Amino acid sequence: MSDNILKIRDLDVFAGETQVLRDVDLTIHPGEVHILLGPNGSGKSSLLQAIMGVPPFRVTKGDIRLNGRSICDLTPDQRAALGFGMAYQKPPEIDGVTLTALAHVMRADATFATEAAALDMADFAQREVNVGFSGGEIKRWEVLKLFLQNPQFLLFDEPESGVDLEHIAAVGAAIERLARSRTANGAKRAALVITHTGFILDYVKADTAHMMVDGRIIATGDPKEMFEQVKSNGYHAA
């Protein structure tokens, strides 16, 4: 068994003919939560999509490994089955499928009842997935969905973006609770969280922060110190 959950080495990624990531190195160990900061268009979401194997993002150099296994040749559903789960920024609407129906298929009825209440989504039980949801409601559902999926490695794409102040605390607390818990088979989880506003840092006790600019990780350090630097100096290496 590898001593890290996620290991990315020397990674180049293209979307179509455009290179979006260059020479990315990243290692996340069991029990760790990492934050990814960067300006709009810097490649943060592209990195998460590449980890999940979502088209049109394709790896042209380097490797992505989960628990020591290369996953670059796997489809998104195969990666999910191995232990990846992602809270997307703009997930699709699923007409005809209610939240409770999806929870039942995932054999997570009890988890849905508990976590839906914590995320103020109990009244959404019979709503169709993402149909008519506001931006903030989509983000809360995406976090709840990961509780149902029970993955080992968690990916969050700006989970606080569009969430009203009343619910940011609930979203942050849910992410922290899930990331610090163990999977059904007792394995420690780990997480990578993209944040633009930094609000999530008030509720998620991140271990490490990375700054991405122009498709490269240019700095790594303490999360709150790095975010204070960003607020003062913008997105430049320390």
Side-chain angles (χ1 to χ4, degrees):
M1 176 65 70
S2 172
D3 64 351
N4 54 73
I5 294 180
L6 180 70
K7 191 177 187 68
I8 297 174
R9 280 293 172 265
D10 199 26
L11 192 72
D12 283 4
V13 172
F14 278 71
E17 299 303 314
T18 303
Q19 187 168 6
V20 293
L21 297 174
R22 298 170 176 82
D23 304 318
V24 173
D25 291 320
L26 180 66
T27 300
I28 301 180
H29 296 93
E32 293 182 345
V33 175
H34 288 220
I35 298 291
L36 186 62
L37 300 164
N40 290 332
S42 62
K44 304 185 303 296
S45 294
S46 298
L47 176 59
L48 267 60
Q49 302 276 7
I51 292 171
M52 280 303 304
V54 178
F57 299 93
R58 55 190 175 85
V59 174
T60 59
K61 187 185 74 170
D63 199 10
I64 305 171
R65 290 181 174 270
L66 177 70
N67 289 322
R69 173 178 176 175
S70 178
I71 62 167
C72 291
D73 61 340
L74 301 182
T75 60
D77 60 304
Q78 290 171 328
R79 299 183 196 206
L82 276 182
F84 278 113
M86 181 166 167
Y88 291 84
Q89 276 209 62
K90 297 178 181 179
E93 296 181 355
I94 307 178
D95 295 313
V97 179
T98 65
L99 304 195
T100 51
L102 185 57
H104 185 69
V105 168
M106 299 170 78
R107 300 180 180 179
D109 302 84
T111 300
F112 178 84
T114 300
E115 298 303 333
L119 286 161
D120 196 21
M121 298 203 78
D123 292 342
F124 288 68
Q126 298 307 316
R127 294 276 296 273
E128 295 170 312
V129 175
N130 292 322
V131 176
F133 285 18
S134 69
E137 290 164 352
I138 288 173
K139 294 300 181 67
R140 284 153 51 204
W141 161 244
E142 284 293 293
V143 174
L144 175 55
K145 178 196 70 179
L146 290 185
F147 275 94
L148 308 182
Q149 183 184 344
N150 190 36
Q152 186 184 12
F153 195 92
L154 309 162
L155 299 161
F156 295 94
D157 196 348
E158 296 196 21
E160 80 273 41
S161 177
V163 180
D164 57 69
L165 292 176
E166 177 185 359
H167 290 111
I168 283 179
V171 167
I175 291 172
E176 175 72 12
R177 185 168 64 255
L178 179 60
R180 303 302 181 184
S181 68
R182 292 179 180 253
T183 65
N185 64 6
K188 287 184 177 180
R189 301 187 207 271
L192 179 60
V193 185
I194 292 176
T195 181
H196 192 72
T197 68
F199 291 148
I200 206 74
L201 291 173
D202 291 334
Y203 310 100
V204 175
K205 298 179 178 65
D207 301 287
T208 303
H210 310 278
M211 186 185 301
M212 177 168 276
V213 176
D214 294 332
R216 302 175 186 269
I217 292 178
I218 64 169
T220 296
D222 177 85
K224 291 195 172 181
E225 289 180 3
M226 185 172 290
F227 189 66
E228 287 301 317
Q229 176 188 323
V230 168
K231 289 195 294 183
S232 299
N233 304 316
Y235 288 104
H236 303 287

